[in-house]
Amino acid sequence: MEPTVDPGQAAPGERPVTATPGSATMADVAKLARVSPATVSRALRGHPSVTEDTRRRVLDAAERLHYAVSPAASRLATGRTGTIAVLVPRLPQWFYATVVAGAGPSIHDAGLDLLLYELSDAAVRRRFFARMPLRRRVDGVIALGMYMDEVETEALHRLHVPVATVGEREVAGWWNVRIDDVDGAAKAVRHLVRLGHQRIGMISSFSPEGYAFRTPIDRRAGYRQVLTAAGVRYAPELEFSAPFGMEGGGTAMAELLSGPEQPTAVFCESDEVAFGALRTLRRAGLRVPLDVSVIGFDDHDMADLLDLSTIAQPVREQGRTAAEMLLRSLTTPDAKPEHVVLPTRLVVRATTGRHATG
Amino acid sequence: MEPTVDPGQAAPGERPVTATPGSATMADVAKLARVSPATVSRALRGHPSVTEDTRRRVLDAAERLHYAVSPAASRLATGRTGTIAVLVPRLPQWFYATVVAGAGPSIHDAGLDLLLYELSDAAVRRRFFARMPLRRRVDGVIALGMYMDEVETEALHRLHVPVATVGEREVAGWWNVRIDDVDGAAKAVRHLVRLGHQRIGMISSFSPEGYAFRTPIDRRAGYRQVLTAAGVRYAPELEFSAPFGMEGGGTAMAELLSGPEQPTAVFCESDEVAFGALRTLRRAGLRVPLDVSVIGFDDHDMADLLDLSTIAQPVREQGRTAAEMLLRSLTTPDAKPEHVVLPTRLVVRATTGRHATG
DNA sequence: TTGTATGCGTTATCAA
DNA sequence: TTGATAACGCATACAA
């Protein structure tokens, strides 16, 4: 059937296969495989209507030419960008970096690119939402801990691509994965109550830049709920709020200690806050947990090192879940956005126990 | 000159400006501004040969149509991808996340995208270098702590784009930014020597996956150099190596403590190793620094919290420097790759001091 | 099953 | 200074 003589081109073996590797085009592959560019395109993407024989010829030729599809051309032709943007407030924070790391493999396994944007301060953030560099550039967005206001939310909506948020309030039309912060906080405080504590303080935190995080609100709610349910007196003077981070935790603990009524146990909104609190206690010469029990929230990498009792949340999984929800919405554009709540878990270590005087 | 009647289209005011926002094309803008698409392209990119008047008309029209350039089309036409890839072994590790965060703003300010790849284990890594998803996809690559072997290095070379590495050995033709690990280690050990220590141990680490990191080698070299120079006996049994991380540091310290000759001070290759070592000391009931002094390396976020003496290195700056070198090489393709060495600095905190018995 | 022809939205070359 | 016009490399509707 197939003539063994080649009408136009030189024999395959004579082609300068190694010249400017990576710059071969689909037409080059087509010539070498003796098919049309259209068939190359189909063969390369596994279209069913291609003979096993020609597919092999095409793959062979592509291999020999070190051919790689031009994403730009492909994107222009299809209209799809093959790209997911991930928005994160501060990458060096363990939580965010871990969520991103959790999302990466799912995105890459699907053959998509991961575009990273760290919006670390108010100025950067404002510029980002004003210029919206994602326009025409991404097929979907994952937003971590961004707690966007009306304007920002609207700006993202205008991209007309699916959005998945992690650890935020639920936005209509967007996918969301989070934990139950109220319930998680309740677990922590119940643990303290069951150890016999009656004076239980809390250190929550706020964004120095004024973003309306929902997490502190929910965790405070869980704290108060349990106190009320357990019949433990809720004392406003045992509740402190400080800027997010270790420093804030440290100073808030100092204030707690200098207050009229020293707590025997403190629930810290996050492990980082707890780290700072622990340092203050150590410097104050107080024994943990004999004098003061401390429990955090997150199960930070370092929590184990410091023997900190805490509430563990699945961090990496939140990233993975968000990515997979988003990917699903790309293949099924009319899928209804889901809101997933992942479980938390009490981790008892050495910073919680009964008070020395009972 | 310009006829005020519009031959084809309706008057600007009547156009459905809000319809499918973001989907306007350059031709739409051209029509609205009554110029050719070519002029729109020139005006939008600040080409000097455009009248101030027409430029304003174009920008106006673009604004009203919510126009955004299609990156795919632009890339196809120019051949430039407008994208930098960042390769990182493990994103949740503070050091890597911080370097990436340092590189981000420079990249984004230049109008480029940041494509993130976490190559977290050997299997992922092998697949990455085998398939090379970066082909035709990026204008440059930043590789952090990858310590690539021959094959991997060659694979990156074949991309024919500039490469900047951070914290690695210097590769011919590639840009590099790093610190002087030998010198940094020397600073740490000199600090211990000057405190009067004579039995100084070291805990270095190795990659569980067998990558040939240069850092441990250099830091060990600095350690030995100072011992020799100071006339302190170098005792091989005081040198331990453990898998990277807190766990490894903890077990290595346990081995040091159970050896024939207990050290009075230990230089840990990294802060994370030191964290583990500190925990072991605490659990062993040993006082720091009275019984054993500990110094780390990196000035990790948590080092301050734990009062760990250490050698600080500019982490964020390494990311920024790498990005800016790479950007320079994009605008000046024939620039000679530079190798930058950033300074380290001794940070004295509370884990180093004189030995109790002198 | 495969090939032809066209469009995707820019940029760049060349004329005007 | 501006406007036609031709790439850029691929995907797909339509034909064969």
Side-chain angles (χ1 to χ4, degrees):
Chain A
M1 280 280 201
E2 284 282 355
T4 35
V5 276
D6 182 5
Q9 288 290 324
E14 300 169 3
R15 288 185 60 94
V17 171
T18 54
T20 340
S23 74
T25 152
M26 205 167 247
D28 298 330
V29 177
K31 255 181 234 157
L32 184 53
R34 306 192 198 309
V35 293
S36 73
T39 298
V40 173
S41 174
R42 286 185 284 246
L44 254 34
R45 283 171 311 122
H47 197 284
S49 81
V50 176
T51 308
E52 189 49 37
D53 176 55
T54 59
R55 183 192 314 287
R56 187 167 312 283
R57 283 218 316 285
V58 169
L59 293 180
D60 246 49
E63 172 83 10
R64 298 183 45 184
L65 296 175
H66 291 106
Y67 173 73
V69 171
S70 157
S74 174
R75 287 164 188 189
L76 183 56
T78 61
R80 270 170 278 121
T81 66
T83 303
I84 301 290
V86 176
L87 272 36
V88 52
R90 287 189 21 75
L91 196 61
Q93 265 180 33
W94 168 82
F95 178 85
Y96 297 122
T98 305
V99 173
V100 174
S106 304
I107 292 175
H108 288 142
D109 286 352
L112 302 185
D113 288 338
L114 192 167
L115 223 56
L116 183 70
Y117 279 84
E118 192 205 27
L119 307 178
S120 53
D121 64 60
V124 168
R125 183 163 170 159
R126 204 176 313 117
R127 265 194 20 216
F128 175 85
F129 282 106
R131 312 165 53 103
M132 254 304 148
L134 300 185
R135 286 190 292 168
R136 321 196 70 172
R137 190 166 305 239
V138 297
D139 291 338
V141 177
I142 296 178
L144 315 182
M146 294 299 299
Y147 295 93
M148 293 166 270
D149 62 25
E150 285 297 319
V151 175
E152 296 170 339
T153 304
E154 178 53 29
L156 261 198
H157 263 123
R158 268 200 294 271
L159 289 178
H160 299 289
V161 300
V163 173
T165 59
V166 177
E168 308 213 7
R169 73 176 190 286
E170 296 162 2
V171 173
W174 288 359
W175 304 67
N176 174 263
V177 53
R178 61 180 185 90
I179 57 170
D180 186 335
D181 282 297
V182 178
D183 180 65
K187 284 176 181 167
V189 180
R190 265 199 300 270
H191 172 59
L192 298 175
V193 167
R194 285 170 186 165
L195 285 169
H197 292 282
Q198 295 283 328
R199 293 198 304 283
I200 302 176
M202 172 167 183
I203 303 176
S204 62
S205 53
F206 58 83
S207 152
E209 304 202 317
Y211 296 115
F213 293 162
R214 183 195 43 84
T215 307
I217 299 172
D218 285 358
R219 294 187 186 172
R220 276 200 296 269
Y223 162 73
R224 291 176 194 173
Q225 275 179 21
V226 169
L227 291 191
T228 306
V232 174
R233 188 173 66 83
Y234 164 65
E237 67 272 19
L238 289 183
E239 222 190 281
F240 271 90
S241 197
F244 180 82
M246 300 182 313
E247 289 310 317
T251 58
M253 179 58 93
E255 298 206 62
L256 265 176
L257 293 180
S258 61
E261 185 184 37
Q262 185 164 306
T264 65
V266 177
F267 167 47
C268 296
E269 182 192 302
S270 74
D271 285 351
E272 300 201 32
V273 165
F275 296 155
L278 284 175
R279 175 165 61 175
T280 295
L281 288 170
R282 195 174 62 233
R283 291 182 174 171
L286 290 170
R287 298 162 300 172
V288 175
L290 282 184
D291 298 316
V292 181
S293 281
V294 173
I295 187 166
F297 201 122
D298 285 347
D299 200 19
H300 189 289
D301 247 5
M302 292 283 156
D304 185 50
L305 178 79
L306 293 170
D307 278 336
L308 176 69
S309 294
T310 191
I311 302 297
Q313 62 168 313
V315 183
R316 177 173 284 272
E317 284 71 15
Q318 290 183 68
R320 187 166 46 72
T321 304
E324 285 174 359
M325 292 192 314
L326 205 55
L327 295 173
R328 216 179 316 143
S329 88
L330 291 183
T331 55
T332 319
D334 52 342
K336 256 185 100 68
E338 297 169 23
H339 298 168
V340 174
V341 177
L342 296 182
T344 57
R345 178 174 49 87
L346 170 67
V347 178
V348 179
R349 296 203 181 93
T351 59
T352 47
R354 298 193 168 273
H355 191 257
T357 65
Chain B
M1 279 280 201
E2 284 280 356
T4 36
V5 276
D6 182 3
Q9 287 293 322
E14 300 169 359
R15 287 186 59 94
V17 171
T18 54
T20 341
S23 74
T25 149
M26 205 168 248
D28 297 332
V29 178
K31 255 181 233 158
L32 184 53
R34 304 194 197 307
V35 294
S36 73
T39 299
V40 173
S41 175
R42 286 186 285 247
L44 254 34
R45 284 170 310 127
H47 197 283
S49 79
V50 176
T51 309
E52 188 49 37
D53 175 55
T54 59
R55 183 193 313 288
R56 187 167 312 282
R57 281 219 317 287
V58 168
L59 292 180
D60 245 49
E63 173 84 10
R64 297 184 44 183
L65 295 175
H66 291 106
Y67 174 73
V69 171
S70 155
S74 175
R75 288 165 189 188
L76 182 56
T78 61
R80 272 171 276 119
T81 66
T83 304
I84 301 290
V86 176
L87 273 35
V88 54
R90 288 189 22 75
L91 195 62
Q93 266 179 35
W94 168 82
F95 178 84
Y96 296 122
T98 304
V99 174
V100 174
S106 304
I107 292 175
H108 288 142
D109 286 352
L112 302 185
D113 288 338
L114 192 168
L115 221 56
L116 182 70
Y117 278 85
E118 191 205 26
L119 307 178
S120 52
D121 64 58
V124 168
R125 183 161 171 160
R126 203 175 315 119
R127 264 192 24 213
F128 175 85
F129 283 105
R131 312 165 53 105
M132 255 304 148
L134 300 185
R135 288 189 291 168
R136 322 197 70 172
R137 189 165 306 238
V138 298
D139 291 338
V141 177
I142 296 177
L144 315 182
M146 294 298 301
Y147 296 93
M148 292 167 273
D149 61 26
E150 285 297 321
V151 175
E152 295 170 339
T153 304
E154 178 53 28
L156 261 197
H157 263 123
R158 268 199 295 268
L159 289 177
H160 299 290
V161 300
V163 174
T165 59
V166 177
E168 307 213 7
R169 73 177 188 287
E170 296 162 2
V171 172
W174 287 358
W175 304 68
N176 175 263
V177 53
R178 62 182 183 89
I179 58 170
D180 186 335
D181 283 296
V182 178
D183 181 64
K187 284 176 181 166
V189 179
R190 264 199 301 270
H191 171 59
L192 298 175
V193 166
R194 285 170 186 165
L195 285 169
H197 292 281
Q198 295 284 326
R199 291 198 306 283
I200 301 176
M202 172 168 184
I203 302 176
S204 63
S205 53
F206 58 83
S207 152
E209 303 201 317
Y211 296 114
F213 293 162
R214 183 195 44 82
T215 307
I217 298 172
D218 284 359
R219 295 188 185 172
R220 274 199 297 269
Y223 162 73
R224 291 175 194 173
Q225 274 179 21
V226 170
L227 290 191
T228 305
V232 175
R233 186 173 67 82
Y234 163 65
E237 67 272 19
L238 288 183
E239 221 190 281
F240 271 90
S241 196
F244 180 81
M246 301 182 312
E247 288 309 317
T251 57
M253 178 58 93
E255 298 206 63
L256 265 175
L257 294 180
S258 61
E261 186 183 34
Q262 186 165 304
T264 65
V266 177
F267 167 47
C268 296
E269 182 192 300
S270 74
D271 286 352
E272 300 203 33
V273 165
F275 295 155
L278 285 175
R279 176 164 62 175
T280 294
L281 288 170
R282 194 173 64 234
R283 290 184 174 169
L286 290 169
R287 297 162 302 171
V288 175
L290 283 185
D291 298 316
V292 181
S293 281
V294 173
I295 188 167
F297 201 122
D298 285 347
D299 201 18
H300 189 288
D301 247 5
M302 292 282 154
D304 185 50
L305 178 80
L306 292 169
D307 279 336
L308 176 70
S309 294
T310 190
I311 302 298
Q313 62 168 314
V315 183
R316 177 173 284 272
E317 285 72 14
Q318 290 184 69
R320 187 166 47 70
T321 304
E324 285 173 358
M325 293 191 313
L326 205 54
L327 295 173
R328 215 179 315 143
S329 86
L330 291 183
T331 55
T332 318
D334 52 341
K336 255 185 99 70
E338 297 168 23
H339 297 168
V340 174
V341 177
L342 296 182
T344 57
R345 176 174 52 86
L346 171 67
V347 178
V348 179
R349 296 203 180 94
T351 58
T352 47
R354 298 194 169 272
H355 191 257
T357 65

